[in-house]
Amino acid sequence: MKLLHPTSKPFITQHYGNKSPMYKTSHDGTDFRIKEDPERKILAAADGEVVRALTGSHDFYYFSGGVWVKSPYYGQGSYYGNEIALRHEQDGKVFFTRYGHNEKVLVKVGDKVKAGQHIAKGGNTGLSKGAHLHFMTQWVLDSGRHTFNPEPFFVWELEQLFIRDE
């Protein structure tokens, strides 16, 4: 599997699995700083289809037992704020990438996207203490979706140029 970095100037501020200083729990994604890019471009990490594009005020849903369930604890507004989820298929495996805390979502459910395509403007929506991208990757297994560390799957900058030109 190959993933492009989901920001134009990738700089990781919190790695997958590390304990979150704010919540004292294991971190289920990788956080990217976005302040170096004045346009705060969020990019699709791989070719795929938009399966979730949340904007504005909405209830918080989480994935459990193979279905999305409305949380009784959050009320209005999602934990990840304006969020995008993409469905991908590579090497016969299905996986999802999720992009949270966006200021503006530029795609809609059903859109087909290419690796490196500009899909959002990064921001500070949802449960966030500053502008950043929360990037999550999930495998689809019999028991549902399970997060995994995306960092070993990121390709080098030169290789990204060739993938974007395909």
Side-chain angles (χ1 to χ4, degrees):
M1 173 174 41
K2 293 181 179 183
L3 296 173
L4 300 184
H5 286 99
T7 60
S8 59
K9 298 182 186 227
F11 184 90
I12 295 173
T13 57
Q14 187 169 2
H15 294 276
Y16 174 87
N18 287 356
K19 292 282 187 190
S20 165
M22 188 164 50
Y23 303 107
K24 312 284 189 275
T25 60
S26 181
H27 195 238
D28 65 359
T30 302
D31 287 350
F32 287 86
R33 185 168 63 196
I34 58 173
K35 67 182 183 180
E36 282 79 12
D37 176 3
E39 295 180 45
R40 294 181 284 161
K41 287 183 179 178
I42 304 303
L43 310 171
D47 293 351
E49 179 181 354
V50 179
V51 294
R52 187 174 170 94
L54 296 177
T55 60
S57 183
H58 47 268
D59 293 328
F60 176 64
Y61 289 80
Y62 61 95
F63 198 74
S64 175
V67 296
W68 288 99
V69 179
K70 183 177 176 181
S71 172
Y73 304 109
Y74 281 87
Q76 291 296 310
S78 165
Y79 181 83
Y80 298 114
N82 294 334
E83 178 191 1
I84 297 169
L86 304 179
R87 181 186 184 280
H88 311 277
E89 207 169 319
Q90 286 184 11
D91 304 323
K93 294 186 183 342
V94 173
F95 66 98
F96 292 81
T97 54
R98 293 173 61 184
Y99 308 76
H101 306 303
N102 301 298
E103 178 181 311
K104 185 175 185 181
V105 171
L106 304 174
V107 292
K108 63 185 182 317
V109 172
D111 286 354
K112 304 281 190 224
V113 298
K114 295 300 247 168
Q117 182 177 328
H118 185 189
I119 59 172
K121 180 177 182 179
N124 185 26
T125 61
L127 206 57
S128 169
K129 289 200 170 203
H132 73 285
L133 168 67
H134 180 79
F135 179 71
M136 184 189 303
T137 47
Q138 299 173 308
W139 290 119
V140 176
L141 303 171
D142 291 340
S143 58
R145 294 187 198 183
H146 300 275
T147 62
F148 66 93
N149 184 359
E151 293 176 43
F153 302 100
F154 288 132
V155 296
W156 292 99
E157 201 169 326
L158 184 59
E159 192 175 357
Q160 289 192 47
L161 294 174
F162 292 113
I163 291 172
R164 286 183 183 155
D165 287 340
E166 288 177 352

